[in-house]
């Protein structure tokens, strides 16, 4: 059945029946506004995904797209030590969209929200020439906000997971590569992993001085962290965590994609050197790779990447910018 045959309000009634009851939600989908109970400090973020700009329908399932739409917003919340609570979702949908496809999108979105303990509480739907997704996500912090500012000279710089996979995956999709050797990379682009448990422990133990998620590329996001904290940083390129798939396609000493590729949604944070053993334990208990890739230096030393011989590397760009590509 086409969405234009079912209609907006009939679809929303069907959707409302799928939403589980939540004691924090005083009024949810169905009123002009949602009403919720919000204890403690609230953090908010919003992000958009537009067909043809952020994704192509032929690359992904609608379920995976729903998961990613929630995940990229959740990544911002957990990068500040928060826990996602409530989501608002606005959709622009072509009238010829199949209702089953839209159901599949909500399957992914609601599953990702449930895994983080968050609830969908409202939003909007409109006809549009292409699929347009806008999410506003609220979260709460129990241990204080971890901001970009706060890095201290002498801190170690850490990153979770591996770097560059999403950028490589996007390139493989653009080149229509579908062999098994690139499946890991394309999967990381289409459905990123959110490091919720690591963030929660970093916050609870007050380990991270500053934190950001890697959405626009390691160097660009580390630059934001340094600018906010009025510090510099040194990154040792040979220490960058690279997946086996990345090394097979690009080589173990190809660092530029890992340094500048976007959409990995890994956590990038700084921790006092005295906490190195704690970081080893944190990686073990959360079963998540956590790699020390550099250190924080004075602002006058700037942001430097060093190669195998310790000499500074020169890169063509630092990361992704929607309005400065090409």
């Amino acid at each position: 059945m086409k969405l234009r045959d079912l209609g907006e309000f009939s679809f929303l009634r069907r959707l409302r029946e799928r939403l589980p009851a939540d004691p924090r939600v005083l009024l949810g989908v169905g009123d002009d506004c949602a009403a919720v109970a919000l204890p403690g400090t609230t953090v908010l973020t919003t992000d958009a995904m537009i067909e043809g700009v952020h994704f192509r329908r032929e690359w992904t399932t609608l379920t995976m797209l729903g998961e990613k739409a929630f995940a990229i917003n959740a990544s911002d919340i957990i990068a500040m030590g928060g826990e996602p609570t409530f989501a608002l979702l606005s959709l622009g949908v072509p009238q010829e969209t199949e209702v089953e496809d839209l159901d599949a999108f909500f399957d992914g979105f609601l599953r990702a929200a449930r895994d983080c303990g968050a609830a969908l509480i409202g939003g909007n739907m409109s006809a549009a020439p292409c699929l347009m997704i806008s999410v506003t996500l609220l979260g709460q912090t129990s241990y204080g906000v971890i901001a970009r500012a706060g890095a201290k000279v002498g801190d170690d710089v850490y990153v979770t997971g591996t770097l560059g996979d999403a950028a490589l995956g996007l390139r493989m999709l653009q080149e229509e590569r579908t062999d098994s050797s690139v499946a890991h990379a394309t999967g990381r682009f289409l459905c990123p992993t959110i490091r919720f448990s690591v963030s929660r422990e970093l916050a609870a133990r007050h380990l991270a001085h500053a934190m950001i998620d890697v959405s626009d590329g390691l160097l660009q996001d580390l630059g934001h962290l340094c600018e906010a904290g009025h510090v510099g940083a040194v990154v040792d390129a040979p220490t960058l965590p690279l997946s086996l798939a990345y090394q097979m396609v690009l080589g173990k000493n190809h660092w530029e994609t890992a340094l500048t590729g976007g959409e990995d949604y890994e956590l990038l944070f700084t921790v006092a050197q005295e906490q190195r053993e704690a970081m080893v334990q944190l990686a073990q208990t959360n079963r998540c790779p956590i790699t020390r890739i550099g250190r924080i230096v004075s602002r006058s030393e700037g942001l430097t990447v060093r190669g195998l011989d310790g000499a500074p590397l020169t890169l063509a760009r630092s990361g992704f910018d929607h309005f400065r590509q090409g």
Side-chain angles (χ1 to χ4, degrees):
M1 180 189 301
K2 303 289 185 184
L3 183 59
R4 62 177 172 82
D5 297 323
L6 180 61
E8 173 188 357
F9 300 110
S10 294
F11 181 84
L12 290 176
R13 279 193 292 271
R14 292 171 73 251
L15 175 62
R16 191 160 58 241
E17 293 171 358
R18 299 177 57 185
L19 302 181
D22 190 313
R24 301 169 301 175
V25 181
L26 307 179
L27 288 173
V29 175
D31 278 82
D32 288 341
C33 293
V36 296
L38 292 172
T41 301
T42 301
V43 289
L44 304 93
T45 189
T46 188
D47 210 337
M49 300 175 67
I50 300 173
E51 186 175 355
V53 177
H54 301 90
F55 66 91
R56 297 184 191 173
R57 290 282 295 273
E58 64 267 25
W59 287 351
T60 184
T61 67
L62 271 293
T63 301
M64 292 178 70
L65 188 62
E67 291 176 345
K68 183 171 183 177
F70 181 86
I72 63 176
N73 285 273
S75 182
D76 282 335
I77 297 291
I78 70 168
M80 301 195 74
E83 301 189 12
T85 52
F86 305 114
L88 298 168
L89 174 61
S90 291
L91 293 176
V93 187
Q95 291 180 324
E96 294 302 310
T97 299
E98 298 287 346
V99 171
E100 292 77 12
D101 287 341
L102 204 52
D103 283 338
F105 173 87
F106 278 99
D107 286 341
F109 189 92
L110 293 175
R111 180 166 64 228
R114 184 178 63 247
D115 289 346
C116 286
L120 177 63
I121 59 172
N124 184 60
M125 284 184 65
S126 173
C130 65
L131 184 56
M132 305 169 67
I133 306 160
S134 179
V135 179
T136 298
L137 187 61
L138 287 72
Q140 66 184 57
T141 62
S142 302
Y143 307 100
V145 173
I146 305 174
R148 295 179 179 185
K152 304 178 188 302
V153 173
D155 277 1
D156 290 326
V157 178
Y158 289 90
V159 69
T160 59
T162 56
L163 297 170
D165 291 322
L168 174 61
L170 173 59
R171 175 177 146 190
M172 296 298 96
L173 288 166
Q174 291 170 333
E175 294 177 0
E176 299 184 351
R177 285 272 302 274
T178 58
D179 52 280
S180 59
S181 65
V182 299
H184 169 79
T186 55
R188 286 290 307 277
F189 171 72
L190 295 173
C191 196
T193 300
I194 302 305
R195 306 298 183 181
F196 188 21
S197 63
V198 174
S199 166
R200 185 161 45 193
E201 191 166 347
L202 285 169
R205 297 174 62 184
H206 301 286
L207 289 170
H209 291 158
M211 187 155 64
I212 191 172
D213 68 332
V214 182
S215 55
D216 295 323
L218 175 76
L219 276 189
Q220 185 134 291
D221 290 317
L222 181 56
H224 296 323
L225 187 150
C226 289
E227 181 179 9
H230 306 290
V231 294
V234 175
V235 174
D236 295 309
T239 68
L240 296 175
L242 308 177
S243 69
L244 181 60
Y246 181 105
Q247 295 180 56
M248 288 176 60
V249 176
L250 298 177
K252 65 179 182 179
N253 292 330
H254 176 95
W255 301 308
E256 185 159 359
T257 300
L259 289 164
T260 64
E263 299 204 51
D264 284 318
Y265 297 103
E266 297 291 352
L267 294 176
L268 174 66
F269 53 96
T270 77
V271 177
Q273 290 186 25
E274 295 77 17
Q275 299 292 349
R276 288 182 180 179
E277 182 57 35
M279 296 309 301
V280 172
Q281 295 173 358
L282 183 66
Q284 292 173 345
T285 57
N286 288 276
R287 298 181 180 180
C288 173
I290 301 176
T291 307
R292 177 161 48 92
I293 62 171
R295 70 183 190 279
I296 296 297
V297 297
S298 67
R299 185 178 189 178
S300 62
E301 296 177 73
L303 176 54
T304 306
V305 181
R306 300 189 304 194
L308 284 170
D309 58 0
L313 297 179
T314 301
L315 302 171
R317 65 189 188 95
S318 61
F320 183 78
D321 184 322
H322 269 286
F323 301 101
R324 299 185 66 181
Q325 301 303 304

